[in-house]
Amino acid sequence: MSRVCVHGLGYIGLPTAAVLATAGHDVTGFDTDAERLESLARGDIYMQEDGLESTVVDAYESGALDLSDRAEPAEYHLICVPTPLDAETNSADLSYVETAARTIRRCLRTGDTVILESTVPPATTAEVVKPILEASGMETGADFDLVYSPETVLPGNVLVELRTNDRIVGHVDGTHPDTAVDLYDSFVDGEIVRAPDATTAEFVKLAQNTFRDTNIALANELAMVADDYGIDSREAITLANRHPRVNLHDPGPGVGGHCLPIDPWFLGQRSDRLDLVARARQINDGMVDYIVGILAEEFPTTDSLTVAILGAAYKGNVADTRGSPGLTLARTLSSPHAAESGAGVTQDRVTDGGNLPRNGCTVRVHDSHVEDCSVTLSPLEETLSGADVAVVTTDHDEYATLDPDLVADLLGGDLVLDTRGVLDVEAWSDTDLRLRRL
Ligand code: SAJ
């Protein structure tokens, strides 16, 4: 077993450090955020994932996982730091990766292996991390190994996928990938696959998320087109997917989270050929405007509108609100400009719905999974009570089992807009409510 220093105890670094410690390695979890370290040491885990709290606490209490504000010399350095998108330039902010590489340089020894796991534009390991490490006077391949291996775990199923997903490992020229393969072999049940090089491995990670984002954009466009034909898009998609080579994704109120809305742009960092990929991003980002357009179309003459939004998390059964379409909808409807802009740019193309009410919207948001959030959340009954319309924006299990009679009793209006297709159409057909879905 080896000494491993994990740089960054975020959504990927923390579970990875805990799993490595459970596999028998001697792990330092290094983070610069003192508050985060203190709360982790108290057993206060800031992210909700099945089994994570006990895995971290057990690893920490056994001594296999140390939590530290200092990076320690180690045979393996894993970089798991954030790579945010610079919204102005649509490019990756690599400052955390660069800082981590400089930190590693200070304690790098002959024979060590450095692995970058953060999602990055292609060529980052070879052209950003490598020169920083080599400023130590050591040479990649001759003195230390340098590898890129993307994390591919699904939020909501992180501990399982850390162990079961295949791992792609791509090395920088001159490096021997075997040492990195050995580390993953110690806790991964999936296959460990060698990419031709680190740049290919970086590209593969982006291609995976771009595939999903682009496919969702296609589903969203089909949903809007289906609505123009008076067709239920979800029934059509289910039928289309009976073909052995068709796998359309699910339409929805937009794509949230911290990966799909960002990663496709990284492909364009050193290429100006993004076309379909960029358009897909715009379509997905435009879905909230499309929903506002539907509301404007449904309520053309109302002076004021009270909207109950069900779902602040970016997807079902998670507590994470990063990039949440539900919250974007809440902010858009609450904004003083919403009334003038109606549904914004997309509306002109997709509906003739007119504008939102002159006096603006009152917005209430419910989500029992979410604790910290930029808008005030209300209990379910309070959220629905007297509202003109309920909009389901997250596919939480509890919304799938919402009691239609309860909603009918509480709601002031008669419209329920299900943007996730979670409500059972038949169960809702016995009420006086109108169920409209994307
Ligand atoms: N969504 C749809 N329609 C769909 C599927 C998803 O609208 O058919 C929406 C979700 O509701 C959510 C967003 O897309 O708002 C993203 O959710 P997701 O479950 O597709 O993905 P993430 O962001 O939670 O995790 C993705 C995963 N990537 C792939 O499945 C290719 C995960 O495996 C990655 O590890 C993760 O990104 C990451 O860290 O990159």
Side-chain angles (χ1 to χ4, degrees):
M1 291 298 145
S2 309
R3 265 199 80 79
V4 185
C5 183
V6 177
H7 296 247
L9 295 176
Y11 286 79
I12 300 303
L14 179 63
T16 304
V19 166
L20 281 164
T22 307
H25 298 286
D26 189 2
V27 182
T28 300
F30 159 58
D31 203 291
T32 52
D33 183 340
E35 233 172 85
R36 172 172 290 184
L37 289 171
E38 271 169 37
S39 58
L40 287 175
R42 284 195 308 271
D44 189 359
I45 312 299
Y46 59 91
M47 54 190 276
Q48 288 177 21
E49 283 290 339
D50 269 356
L52 182 63
E53 189 173 308
S54 59
T55 309
V56 172
V57 169
D58 291 352
Y60 181 62
E61 286 180 353
S62 73
L65 172 63
D66 185 27
L67 301 167
S68 176
D69 61 358
R70 285 170 47 125
E72 299 289 343
E75 288 149 85
Y76 292 98
H77 289 276
L78 254 66
I79 306 177
C80 303
V81 295
T83 47
L85 181 75
D86 179 331
E88 270 178 30
T89 58
N90 265 352
S91 61
D93 170 1
L94 294 176
S95 56
Y96 297 98
V97 172
E98 289 164 3
T99 303
R102 280 194 289 271
T103 303
I104 293 169
R105 184 173 68 198
R106 286 197 280 276
C107 57
L108 190 64
R109 306 161 311 182
T110 303
D112 289 346
T113 298
V114 179
I115 305 175
L116 177 60
E117 287 202 2
S118 310
T119 304
V120 290
T124 299
T125 311
E127 293 184 23
V128 176
V129 177
K130 181 179 172 215
I132 293 175
L133 295 176
E134 289 193 336
S136 63
M138 286 197 270
E139 196 187 327
T140 313
D143 299 311
F144 65 92
D145 288 334
L146 178 58
V147 159
Y148 181 76
S149 181
E151 61 76 19
T152 60
V153 292
L154 189 73
N157 199 27
V158 163
L159 280 189
V160 171
E161 293 206 357
L162 258 180
R163 294 191 171 100
T164 58
N165 285 6
D166 289 349
R167 265 282 166 172
I168 291 164
V169 175
H171 61 286
V172 170
D173 266 356
T175 287
H176 317 286
D178 298 4
T179 45
V181 170
D182 288 346
L183 183 71
Y184 290 115
D185 223 3
S186 69
F187 69 94
V188 172
D189 297 328
E191 206 175 321
I192 298 157
V193 191
R194 292 172 197 213
D197 49 43
T199 303
T200 305
E202 291 162 336
F203 186 92
V204 166
K205 163 72 190 196
L206 301 177
Q208 289 169 335
N209 279 352
T210 301
F211 164 83
R212 197 154 167 82
D213 192 52
T214 309
N215 209 325
I216 296 166
L218 174 61
N220 282 334
E221 183 158 309
L222 287 174
M224 294 187 281
V225 172
D227 193 58
D228 289 343
Y229 284 98
I231 288 171
D232 184 307
S233 67
R234 291 178 193 272
E235 283 183 20
I237 286 172
T238 305
L239 289 171
N241 283 346
R242 293 183 78 92
H243 187 286
R245 284 177 296 284
V246 173
N247 178 23
L248 290 166
H249 286 29
D250 299 319
V255 167
H258 197 64
C259 307
L260 269 55
I262 292 171
D263 298 357
W265 295 122
F266 287 4
L267 281 174
Q269 189 107 348
R270 291 172 189 223
S271 166
D272 57 7
R273 291 185 190 279
L274 291 195
D275 186 2
L276 171 70
V277 168
R279 186 68 199 121
R281 282 276 69 254
Q282 288 164 350
I283 289 171
N284 289 337
D285 282 348
M287 290 311 287
V288 162
D289 276 350
Y290 177 70
I291 291 163
V292 177
I294 292 177
L295 295 178
E297 178 189 277
E298 289 280 355
F299 298 95
T301 56
T302 323
D303 278 343
S304 63
L305 192 67
T306 300
V307 183
I309 293 181
L310 304 187
Y314 82 88
K315 67 175 185 177
N317 307 319
V318 302
D320 195 336
T321 59
R322 290 178 299 172
S324 155
L327 291 184
T328 305
L329 178 65
R331 278 191 291 269
T332 306
L333 291 172
S334 309
S335 116
H337 304 298
E340 297 113 60
S341 65
V345 181
T346 319
Q347 182 206 3
D348 296 338
R349 198 168 55 80
V350 295
T351 79
D352 302 321
N355 287 340
L356 279 170
R358 256 196 331 268
N359 299 337
C361 298
T362 303
V363 179
R364 301 188 205 124
V365 184
H366 169 266
D367 198 316
S368 61
H369 291 257
V370 171
E371 279 166 17
D372 290 330
C373 171
S374 57
V375 307
T376 308
L377 300 172
S378 315
L380 184 64
E381 299 204 354
E382 209 176 287
T383 306
L384 291 168
S385 186
D388 297 298
V389 54
V391 186
V392 180
T393 47
T394 306
D395 42 347
H396 289 317
D397 287 347
E398 69 182 286
Y399 295 147
T401 53
L402 259 187
D403 177 1
D405 293 325
L406 175 80
V407 178
D409 283 350
L410 290 169
L411 217 55
D414 70 346
L415 179 64
V416 175
L417 178 57
D418 179 7
T419 69
R420 292 288 190 177
V422 288
L423 305 180
D424 177 353
V425 176
E426 219 169 282
W428 286 71
S429 63
D430 289 340
T431 65
D432 294 335
L433 294 172
R434 276 188 309 125
L435 178 60
R436 180 169 174 177
R437 62 179 191 166
L438 227 57

